[in-house]
Amino acid sequence: MAITVRVRLFAIQRELAGSREVTLDLADGADVEAAWTAVAARFPVLAPGRASLRFARNGDYAEPTTPLTDGDEVAMIPPVSGGEGRRILELRELPFDTAILAELADALSVAEDGAVVAFLGRTRSTPGTPAPGQEAEAARHAGRSVESLEYEALESMALAVFATIADEIEARFGVDRLAIVHRTGDVPLGEASIAVVAVAPHRDAAFDAARYAIDETKARAPIWKAERFADGHVWIGHQARTGPTED
C-alpha cells in the first residue's frame, strides 16, 4: 500500500530543482527521511545540501524519523536567514563517510572564517573499557577483535545535550558554528560513528571547540555503545556525567 505526500521546496532548493512542489508516492510506513531520499533521487543536485537541512511535517518541525501518512505535507527547510550562529546537531541511522566533513564545513562556514577543525570517529577492532557489570562478558571475548558497534540513544535527550554543549562552546570559546552528527544502530568495522566540525575565524578557538564537543558528547550524551563479536557483545562505557567539568 502506498501513501501520497506533497513536498515543498524553498530558496536555493527551489531554484536548483526548478520546482516549488513535488508529489511523491511512498511505501506505507515511510518517514520524512524516505521523502528526502526520494526527492534527492529525483533531483540529485539537491543531495549535497542534506547536512544543513531541517524538516517540517504539516507545519511543525519534524525529525527525519517522523512517520508520514497519506496526504501529509513535508517541507524541506534549508538554512534560514537571521542570526549569525549555525548549528547542525543530529542523530542518524544512515551511514556517512569522510565526505560529511566537507559538507558540514561548507554548510557552516562564512567568509570571515579562517579555520575549520573536523573530527571523525570510526569503529575500531580493539575493544574499549566495559561498562560496570560487563567485566565477565568482556573477559570472555579477551583477545578477540570487534566486528561492529551498535549505538542506542535516548534521542530527544541526546539532542538536548548536544544543544547544551553547543551553548557552552559558544560561551567558552566564542564559536557559534558547530556540527555534531552521531550514528545510531549498527556501525560496521571501519565506518564512521560521529562527525564533529567547528568553524571559526581563528584556529585556536576552532580546535578548542571541536575537542570540547567530542569529549563532552562522549561523557554526557545518553548514547550507549555495544561492541559486537562473533558470538556475543559487550556494552561499553561509564556513568554519564550530568554537566561540564570544572575548569
Side-chain angles (χ1 to χ4, degrees), residues 47-48 61 73 82 96-97 122 153 163 195 202 212 238 241:
Y61 278 109
E73 176 188 272
F96 51 80
D97 57 22
R122 301 170 69 246
H202 304 290
Y212 189 90
H238 50 77
R241 181 154 40 80

Side-chain angles (χ1 to χ4, degrees), residues 133-214:
Q134 288 283 282
E135 293 85 358
E137 186 66 11
R140 192 171 72 85
H141 298 288
R144 302 178 186 176
S145 295
V146 176
E147 295 189 353
S148 67
L149 298 180
E150 178 187 354
Y151 285 97
E152 181 179 344
L154 180 56
E155 290 89 350
S156 59
M157 186 175 175
L159 292 171
V161 171
F162 289 178
T164 298
I165 292 169
D167 288 341
E168 293 165 1
I169 286 171
E170 184 170 359
R172 289 175 180 237
F173 311 116
V175 175
D176 60 4
R177 290 180 294 286
L178 176 77
I180 304 172
V181 180
H182 203 299
R183 281 288 307 275
T184 58
D186 293 329
V187 183
L189 188 67
E191 287 195 8
S193 57
I194 184 171
V196 170
V197 174
V199 179
H202 304 290
R203 64 181 182 273
D204 286 347
F207 274 112
D208 288 341
R211 180 60 184 260
Y212 189 90
I214 183 61

Side-chain angles (χ1 to χ4, degrees), residues 106-128:
D106 289 344
L108 293 170
S109 300
V110 297
E112 293 77 17
D113 290 323
V116 175
V117 174
F119 171 85
L120 193 74
R122 301 170 69 246
T123 300
R124 65 172 188 262
S125 60
T126 53

Side-chain angles (χ1 to χ4, degrees), residues 22-94:
V22 180
T23 300
L24 298 175
D25 292 324
L26 302 173
D28 188 33
D31 57 14
V32 169
E33 186 72 43
W36 162 252
T37 300
V39 169
R42 187 175 300 185
F43 303 105
V45 69
L46 299 181
R50 173 63 182 86
S52 59
L53 204 62
R54 295 291 181 269
F55 304 102
R57 172 182 174 268
N58 298 334
D60 293 317
Y61 278 109
E63 296 297 322
T65 54
T66 301
L68 299 174
T69 59
D70 191 57
D72 279 349
E73 176 188 272
V74 180
M76 308 298 180
I77 302 176
V80 297
S81 60
E84 295 182 357
R86 304 180 187 182
R87 297 175 179 177
I88 300 171
L89 310 173
E90 297 181 0
L91 295 169
R92 292 192 188 182
E93 291 187 11
L94 297 177

